[in-house]
Amino acid sequence: AMWSDLVQGKPELSDSLSTNARQMKSEMYTKMFKDASDLDHPCRIPGSEYLQCVQSNVKDASKTRQMKCVSMFSAFDACRKGVLQQQ
């Protein structure tokens, strides 16, 4: 499920999780993403920036976090879609 979120969905943290659980999940998303994308991957920077935003705002409610991170997610999502079209 987490891999699918990174590839085609939206990596997000549910409000039903505790702050510690949201922190752990955000770290897992970041590690999974960095392990799967090499340094010259075109989506490495926008993906890392979005996941860093999510991780930096784990204490916020989901809607607040989404508002803070929406522009970074849009850049990451556009990059993913571009890569998929090239395949």
Side-chain angles (χ1 to χ4, degrees):
M2 291 180 74
W3 177 249
S4 177
D5 290 344
L6 285 170
V7 176
Q8 58 198 19
K10 184 170 186 177
E12 189 44 72
L13 310 172
S14 170
D15 287 338
S16 65
L17 298 173
S18 69
T19 302
N20 282 348
R22 289 195 299 254
Q23 181 70 37
M24 285 175 51
K25 189 171 182 181
S26 70
E27 289 168 3
M28 287 169 56
Y29 274 133
T30 300
K31 180 175 177 1
M32 189 181 299
F33 179 71
K34 288 187 174 176
D35 287 350
S37 62
D38 50 23
L39 289 172
D40 59 349
H41 190 283
C43 298
R44 174 87 178 210
I45 291 173
S48 295
E49 287 174 345
Y50 170 68
L51 293 171
Q52 182 62 47
C53 181
V54 169
Q55 195 166 1
S56 296
N57 295 287
V58 291
K59 292 181 178 155
D60 291 340
S62 184
K63 281 192 185 305
T64 304
R65 188 173 43 253
Q66 287 177 20
M67 288 187 332
K68 289 179 179 177
C69 302
V70 68
S71 63
M72 284 162 262
F73 178 73
S74 296
F76 175 46
D77 196 40
C79 182
R80 291 187 307 188
K81 287 176 179 163
V83 168
L84 287 173
Q85 287 176 348
Q86 291 173 12
Q87 291 180 350

